[in-house]
Amino acid sequence: MDTNYEDLIKIFASTTDVKDMQKLLEEMLTPNELKDLLLRWNLMKDLYKGLPQREIAASYGISLCKITRGSKILKQKESYCKKLLSDRYDDHLHI
């Protein structure tokens, strides 16, 4: 793995304060990159909730290709995104 990538991952992993993380993301990413990241997370949540891909695409005005990637990630047995979603939302969704 690239040592620069590892260094960046360690920076993100060591940032535990919410306000610090917000500042870091806002300083590192453009407004459009932040928007794309939020879109990705929202569509992952919608997929996890079981919403149909076409409904998600229409809701956000995006192609099915963007949603297919998220769907494939959630189908993986060892998906960390799926674990995060499960830990965070299963109590609320009663899954």
Side-chain angles (χ1 to χ4, degrees):
M1 188 180 302
D2 183 345
T3 57
N4 292 319
Y5 182 67
E6 287 179 15
D7 187 44
L8 182 60
I9 295 300
K10 288 176 184 176
I11 295 292
F12 279 101
S14 68
T15 305
T16 58
D17 181 79
V18 173
K19 289 184 181 188
D20 288 343
M21 180 59 77
Q22 180 179 352
K23 187 169 178 79
L24 177 61
L25 289 172
E26 289 171 354
E27 289 177 355
M28 296 280 302
L29 303 174
T30 67
N32 281 338
E33 290 167 336
L34 283 169
K35 182 180 168 187
D36 287 345
L37 185 60
L38 182 59
L39 172 65
R40 173 75 62 184
W41 182 245
N42 285 333
L43 74 85
M44 295 288 281
K45 288 191 299 185
D46 289 347
L47 285 167
Y48 187 76
K49 292 176 189 174
L51 295 176
Q53 291 187 27
R54 292 191 187 281
E55 184 179 321
I56 296 168
S59 174
Y60 295 111
I62 58 175
S63 70
L64 287 172
C65 293
K66 283 193 177 192
I67 299 165
T68 300
R69 182 175 188 274
S71 179
K72 287 180 181 179
I73 290 168
L74 293 178
K75 289 177 183 174
Q76 295 172 0
K77 186 176 181 180
E78 300 296 322
S79 167
Y80 188 63
C81 283
K82 184 175 181 178
K83 179 194 177 318
L84 289 173
L85 288 162
S86 175
D87 291 349
R88 186 164 183 99
Y89 297 108
D90 280 358
D91 288 346
H92 304 291
L93 297 176
H94 305 291
I95 293 175

